[in-house]
Amino acid sequence: GPQIAFESNGSIWLMNADGTLQRPLTSGSHDSRPSWSPDGQQIVFVNEEGHIIGIDLTFNNPNFTYQSYEVSFFPEWRSAAISKDGRFLAALTSVENNRIYVFDLADPLGASQAFFLYNPTYTTGQTTGEVRFADVLEFDYSGE
């Protein structure tokens, strides 16, 4: 089946199973590694302007259609990841801080929550606030 490919200029393409490029999905570069749902029908990434971009793909062999849209109102992001069920979006701001923002894509009001990062210690119940920022962002298969 079709796969996603990344050009050296940063654009995202749909690639045939034989490795030939089929069609571009974006026309610009991206600042973050794209993240997509396991079924390959949703892709999110941060573009070079700092906006979170979503792409919805619909496959009808051998053809497909896609819709690209801005998820964020303000260009303030540096990384984004989509959950394995496609319901949640996690993002990091362009300003390095100790927070991960998680958005519920099923909520029409765009409910979000900030999670503060901390370092565990060897003492039960004690943590430190020394985390400067998150570097890599990805959901695991359980949705965490």
Side-chain angles (χ1 to χ4, degrees), residues 126-144:
Q126 296 294 313
T127 61
T128 69
E130 297 170 350
V131 174
R132 290 181 44 219
F133 62 91
D135 185 29
V136 177
L137 188 62
E138 186 65 51
F139 281 90
D140 67 15
Y141 283 100
S142 72
E144 295 293 316

Side-chain angles (χ1 to χ4, degrees), residues 26-141:
T26 64
S27 60
S29 66
H30 50 86
D31 276 357
S32 72
R33 181 176 61 91
S35 170
W36 56 88
S37 58
D39 62 8
Q41 294 187 356
Q42 292 173 291
I43 303 170
V44 297
F45 62 94
V46 176
N47 69 9
E48 58 192 351
E49 286 86 31
H51 280 286
I52 299 172
I53 304 297
I55 299 175
D56 291 338
L57 294 164
T58 303
F59 295 100
N60 297 314
N61 273 340
N63 302 316
F64 75 96
T65 58
Y66 72 97
Q67 179 181 358
S68 178
Y69 52 91
E70 283 188 3
V71 177
S72 61
F73 290 113
F74 301 104
E76 58 189 353
W77 305 99
R78 67 180 162 91
S79 183
I82 193 163
S83 65
K84 301 306 176 194
D85 62 4
R87 178 171 178 179
F88 296 101
L89 173 84
L92 303 172
T93 62
S94 56
V95 175
E96 293 177 350
N97 58 40
N98 65 342
R99 294 176 199 88
I100 296 175
Y101 295 89
V102 177
F103 301 87
D104 185 347
L105 299 177
D107 186 328
L109 300 177
S112 67
Q113 184 173 354
F115 291 89
F116 290 85
L117 303 174
Y118 59 86
N119 287 324
T121 66
Y122 291 107
T123 306
T124 304
Q126 296 294 313
T127 61
T128 69
E130 297 170 350
V131 174
R132 290 181 44 219
F133 62 91
D135 185 29
V136 177
L137 188 62
E138 186 65 51
F139 281 90
D140 67 15
Y141 283 100

